[in-house]
Amino acid sequence: VPTVFDLAKRRGLSTALASGKMKFITLTRPGALDWSYLPPTEPVEDALVANEAIQILRQHKPNLLLVHLPDVDTWGHEKGWGSPEQLAAVARADVAAGALLAAVRDSGLEPSTLVIATADHGGAGLGHWGDDPRSRTIPWIARGPGVRRNQDLTRYVGLTVRTEDTFATACAALGIPIPGDSEGRFVEAILEGRELLRGVDDAPLTITGPATAPAR
């Protein structure tokens, strides 16, 4: 099935990836990415991954950029979820994320950029297990033009944000029609008002669009 990178390239958008784990090589199939960083060995520190992402951002201003910071997961498995070592990793991830957001601002992209901060899973003990709510609960934070500020999505009755919704929401922000067989849904509750939409599920946000023209 096509990834969000494949779909973006079909729309003439530029794409990039900076990952702290080699397993993301599965996303680097031919024609999917214009620029990418994968670590030659593991583990690598969040600061290194963030620096590689910042270089891509400053030089190329891709329309779509995925940044994967590995330290929180690494230390969760090594020392335990909620351990002092993992909490220190969370602090380092926060610094790395701050540097990335500063690069977005300094590159002049902040007025047209949707940022989603999330994770693939939570955890308990040294791992993440089945239906354990501690493993299945993730952060999901959106920031950008037209996005509601200081809103807690858990207060919306009937709204459950899932990992798959990140894909759909990114598609909507980039003007990419959400595939009909997608399990994800556009998280419309992040928006300040419905008037910011041209449709419902598969319509782009009128205020975002591509952050820049496709790089040449």
Side-chain angles (χ1 to χ4, degrees), residues 161-183:
V161 179
R162 303 189 305 161
T163 298
E164 295 89 344
D165 297 336
T166 304
F167 164 81
T169 303
C171 284
L174 291 166
I176 301 170
I178 300 171
D181 60 352
S182 173
E183 295 183 11

Side-chain angles (χ1 to χ4, degrees), residues 5-14 174-177 198 204 210 214:
F5 299 112
D6 297 317
L7 297 176
K9 290 304 296 178
R10 293 176 189 176
R11 306 283 288 192
L13 304 178
S14 55
L174 291 166
I176 301 170
R198 285 191 288 201

